[in-house]
Amino acid sequence: MHENIDRVLMVILAVMAAGVVLWRLNRWLTSPQTAVFTTVPIQKQIEDHPALELLVQEGYEVIGGKVKINLSFQIGAQEVYSRLFVDYVASDEEGHLYLVKLSRERMAMDWSGASVRDRLMPVLLMYPDCAGLLYVDDQQGMVRKVTMEWTDEMWSKNHY
């Protein structure tokens, strides 16, 4: 009698295990593809710019040129297109990769949290393996390193 119960339990466990495996396989196959890139594209062609000297002075080595990231958005039945640009890719002495954005005279950077979020976060989110972003202002002769971290910190009512 115990042998029959053991067999029934084994069959039930096997059916349950197969169900879980099939459910996970179906979920994996039907899940959307991630929009995060796993590696930073390195363009071999590096255009000369005064910012390159600033980066070298700060201890960075420029290892890649301009990267163009094509984007498409579906808005109802309409599809619209845009691009994000990274001016250079650099590495530090430890080999960490940084995306480099150059300042633009017509698009002055406001260093508030909202401005940094709106202007720089999209690129940082697309390449999470990067150590951060270097913002180079060659007019002021300054390189700013921008890194981003997720926080669960509660904000006081004075911070929005």
Side-chain angles (χ1 to χ4, degrees):
M1 175 104 170
H2 288 291
E3 291 177 14
N4 288 338
I5 293 174
D6 290 343
R7 286 184 185 150
V8 169
L9 285 175
M10 291 302 285
V11 168
I12 291 172
L13 288 174
V15 168
M16 288 175 57
V20 169
V21 168
L22 289 173
W23 175 71
R24 290 295 295 164
L25 181 64
N26 181 46
R27 190 168 172 204
W28 175 67
L29 289 173
T30 59
S31 65
Q33 186 176 4
T34 180
V36 175
F37 299 108
T38 55
T39 60
V40 177
I42 307 294
Q43 300 295 334
K44 297 296 180 192
Q45 183 179 350
I46 300 173
E47 296 181 22
D48 194 32
H49 191 278
L52 296 178
E53 188 176 318
L54 281 173
L55 287 165
V56 170
Q57 288 174 0
E58 293 289 325
Y60 298 99
E61 177 186 1
V62 176
I63 59 172
K66 184 172 283 235
V67 176
K68 179 173 78 169
I69 305 160
N70 294 315
L71 303 170
S72 67
F73 302 93
Q74 194 72 33
I75 305 171
Q78 180 184 9
E79 192 167 15
V80 295
Y81 304 94
S82 187
R83 294 182 227 62
L84 286 175
F85 291 97
V86 174
D87 295 303
Y88 296 102
V89 177
S91 68
D92 62 10
E93 294 169 350
E94 290 92 37
H96 298 116
L97 292 180
Y98 291 88
L99 306 171
V100 178
K101 295 283 286 177
L102 302 178
S103 66
R104 304 279 189 254
E105 199 172 312
R106 59 185 167 83
M107 294 179 66
M109 185 69 177
D110 172 22
W111 290 101
S112 68
S115 180
V116 171
R117 177 199 63 215
D118 293 344
R119 299 264 310 274
L120 304 178
M121 186 178 69
V123 178
L124 288 169
L125 288 175
M126 293 185 85
Y127 297 104
D129 290 342
C130 281
L133 184 137
L134 302 173
Y135 188 87
V136 181
D137 188 338
D138 59 323
Q139 299 296 320
Q140 294 183 358
M142 185 177 356
V143 176
R144 292 186 190 216
K145 180 166 57 169
V146 179
T147 60
M148 182 181 76
E149 293 183 25
W150 300 97
T151 180
D152 291 332
E153 180 180 311
M154 294 297 294
W155 290 87
S156 69
K157 62 183 175 183
N158 297 329
H159 295 92
Y160 291 95

